[in-house]
Amino acid sequence: MDFVIRRSYKYRIYPTKAQISNVENQFSMCRHLYNRSLAERTDAYEKDGTAISYHQQQNSLPDLKKEGPWYKGVYSQVLQDVLRRPDKGYQAFFRRAGTGENPGFPKFRKRGQWNSITYPQYRKRPDSVITVPKIGKVRLVYHRELPEDATVKTLTITREAGKWFACFPAELPFVAEPEQGLPDPIGIDLGLIDFFYASDGSHVPVPKLLRKKEKQLGRLQRRLAKSEKRSEKYYKILKAVRKCHYRIKCRRSDFLHKTANGLLKKSGLIFYEDLRISDMVRRPKPKQDEDGKYLPNNASAKAGLNKSIADAGWGRFLEILKYKSRHLGKRTLAVPPQYTSQTCSACGEIVKKSLSVRTHRCACGFVANRDLNAALNILRIGMDTLQART
């Protein structure tokens, strides 16, 4: 079957000092426009309940440029993309509010919180030098070949921890590889001691990338809190904090991609638990007695667990695993997570145990690592589900 896939190609760029100053000024103007449009929407809604649309704000851009001539230094399509951001935020807010979720109202952006500009109709292919409207020619490290049949859709210039990048989202015609015999099916159980434990006995320890940098981050954040706001020292320490987070992000991404590649090399069919990770990292609800006094709700321990789950990156790993498997003509399948750790994979009996118990022991005589037992159950449930479908 032929269909189109979307992939993003990210390249390091090296703008000159003058270009950096130019782009930073554009960031500032984009942030100002975003805050202005958000305030306009909020004020109109609070006054008489009217909703201002994206098209209304877009049509007012020519008048805005007359009021503020400095906006002419930003490409018109970039300004239009800026106006789409609060529009998407408003739409998401009302959509989530209707479902009972935490709505998350769009927030105003402070100085330094705007780090990208997007050219929605950029169609030029990258090379060693790219020409960007209102910026000029920028040197690019073309380290990765863009396929000949790829169609560039947009261009986004981003700044991450003091480094500059050009991102080219592209569309590619893709012919899905037919599923083979799907050899060597395995089940994997994601965890916080071992990142995953597979039903074949293999396992990979959790790298704990954030935990390893916690002391360094803590020192930097304490220095940041003590320094005078908006001073030269403040922004210097803030840059160091962002650089530390950026390194953690890069190392985590590298680990997740390599781990997914290793799994897909040895198996054509992978089963995993259908975890609701967003619910798992929620803070516990407060507890109150009859007099309204708040009771202990184990929030501090839950906060540490939430941090470890976020640090592991389960959600991102499953996304990587799924899209890589489709490209390779392999398959992944989610199974219900209920009782996978409590059920004995040998006899099917329920053996209740707390999270601190790491060894599964059953009356039938089967003894195994808790996570290995869960992986065997995930494999069994997955195979039963496939047989029921065929």
Side-chain angles (χ1 to χ4, degrees), residues 262-280:
L263 268 175
L264 291 167
K265 278 182 181 178
K266 66 179 181 180
S267 174
L269 178 58
I270 301 171
F271 302 104
Y272 60 92
E273 290 179 306
D274 189 13
L275 301 173
R276 299 186 66 178
I277 300 171
S278 59
D279 291 344
M280 295 173 69

Side-chain angles (χ1 to χ4, degrees), residues 16-118:
T16 63
K17 289 184 179 180
Q19 288 173 335
I20 290 174
S21 178
N22 180 10
V23 179
E24 286 177 343
N25 286 335
Q26 293 191 39
F27 285 171
S28 179
M29 287 182 277
C30 290
R31 181 180 65 88
H32 182 270
L33 177 62
Y34 174 89
N35 289 340
R36 185 182 185 280
S37 63
L38 183 58
E40 187 180 17
R41 285 171 174 265
T42 305
D43 293 343
Y45 188 79
E46 289 177 349
K47 280 184 179 179
D48 49 10
T50 58
I52 298 178
S53 68
Y54 160 74
H55 294 289
Q56 287 175 299
Q57 291 187 320
Q58 181 193 18
N59 293 336
S60 67
L61 276 177
D63 295 330
L64 182 63
K65 288 181 179 180
K66 291 178 182 178
E67 295 175 15
W70 52 85
Y71 282 117
K72 294 179 181 179
V74 185
Y75 194 55
S76 59
Q77 292 180 8
V78 172
L79 295 176
Q80 292 168 13
D81 180 76
V82 171
L83 294 177
R84 287 191 183 94
R85 300 193 191 189
D87 183 61
K88 290 178 181 177
Y90 252 74
Q91 291 177 10
F93 170 78
F94 287 111
R95 183 177 64 251
R96 287 192 292 262
T99 60
E101 299 179 22
N102 182 17
F105 191 79
K107 295 181 180 180
F108 292 98
R109 302 293 182 89
K110 299 178 183 178
R111 179 184 171 186
Q113 291 184 340
W114 196 279
N115 292 299
S116 69
I117 53 176
T118 298

Side-chain angles (χ1 to χ4, degrees), residues 10 160 244-254:
K10 187 175 181 180
E160 298 181 42
C244 189
H245 277 295
Y246 177 73
R247 285 178 174 174
I248 294 170
K249 171 191 168 184
C250 290
R251 289 171 183 173
R252 183 184 292 119
S253 179
D254 180 68

Side-chain angles (χ1 to χ4, degrees), residues 116-378:
S116 69
I117 53 176
T118 298
Y119 298 84
Q121 296 181 19
Y122 193 90
R123 297 293 182 267
K124 297 178 182 178
R125 295 172 64 86
D127 203 345
S128 58
V129 175
I130 57 171
T131 304
V132 186
K134 299 289 185 178
I135 297 175
K137 294 185 177 180
V138 184
R139 187 162 63 90
L140 178 143
V141 180
Y142 193 54
H143 71 282
R144 183 185 183 191
E145 192 75 24
L146 188 71
E148 290 294 331
D149 54 357
T151 304
V152 174
K153 306 300 289 184
T154 62
L155 166 64
T156 301
I157 303 295
T158 63
R159 177 181 58 192
E160 298 181 42
K163 297 179 174 63
W164 294 88
F165 298 92
C167 301
F168 296 87
E171 289 185 353
L172 298 89
F174 179 72
V175 180
E177 293 288 337
E179 291 183 357
Q180 308 298 326
L182 301 177
D184 305 319
I186 61 172
I188 59 170
D189 179 60
L190 299 175
L192 297 177
I193 296 176
D194 291 300
F195 181 74
F196 77 80
Y197 216 112
S199 54
D200 62 356
S202 61
H203 54 97
V204 174
V206 172
K208 299 181 180 179
L209 297 166
L210 177 62
R211 295 290 188 181
K212 291 176 181 177
K213 288 285 186 179
E214 268 189 320
K215 287 186 178 180
Q216 181 184 352
L217 273 173
R219 286 195 299 269
L220 289 171
Q221 287 166 343
R222 284 191 294 271
R223 289 175 59 194
L224 184 68
K226 292 177 182 178
S227 60
E228 183 183 350
K229 291 288 180 68
R230 301 185 184 280
S231 64
E232 185 179 347
K233 181 181 178 182
Y234 176 85
Y235 286 113
K236 184 178 179 181
I237 300 172
L238 180 61
K239 183 179 178 181
V241 172
R242 288 173 174 169
K243 189 174 182 179
C244 189
H245 277 295
Y246 177 73
R247 285 178 174 174
I248 294 170
K249 171 191 168 184
C250 290
R251 289 171 183 173
R252 183 184 292 119
S253 179
D254 180 68
F255 167 78
L256 296 178
H257 278 277
K258 287 179 178 177
T259 304
N261 289 339
L263 268 175
L264 291 167
K265 278 182 181 178
K266 66 179 181 180
S267 174
L269 178 58
I270 301 171
F271 302 104
Y272 60 92
E273 290 179 306
D274 189 13
L275 301 173
R276 299 186 66 178
I277 300 171
S278 59
D279 291 344
M280 295 173 69
V281 297
R282 281 183 180 172
R283 65 177 64 182
K285 294 182 179 179
K287 295 181 181 179
Q288 293 178 285
D289 59 15
E290 297 175 353
D291 300 327
K293 183 180 179 181
Y294 285 99
L295 301 173
N297 63 346
N298 204 29
S300 59
K302 184 67 169 64
L305 179 64
N306 292 350
K307 184 185 287 188
S308 296
I309 293 173
D311 187 20
W314 293 343
R316 178 62 180 149
F317 171 73
L318 293 176
E319 288 178 4
I320 293 170
L321 192 66
K322 283 185 276 191
Y323 90 74
K324 284 180 180 286
S325 65
R326 287 196 296 268
H327 291 177
L328 297 172
K330 299 185 178 183
R331 190 172 180 184
T332 59
L333 182 66
V335 303
Q338 289 79 10
Y339 298 104
T340 53
S341 295
Q342 309 292 341
T343 305
C344 178
S345 59
C347 67
E349 290 294 320
I350 300 294
V351 183
K352 292 188 177 181
K353 46 190 173 291
S354 64
L355 282 172
S356 59
V357 179
R358 305 309 306 167
T359 303
H360 170 81
R361 299 179 188 275
C362 183
C364 71
F366 181 70
V367 179
N369 181 285
R370 174 197 180 101
D371 297 334
L372 174 59
N373 176 67
L376 291 169
N377 282 323
I378 292 168

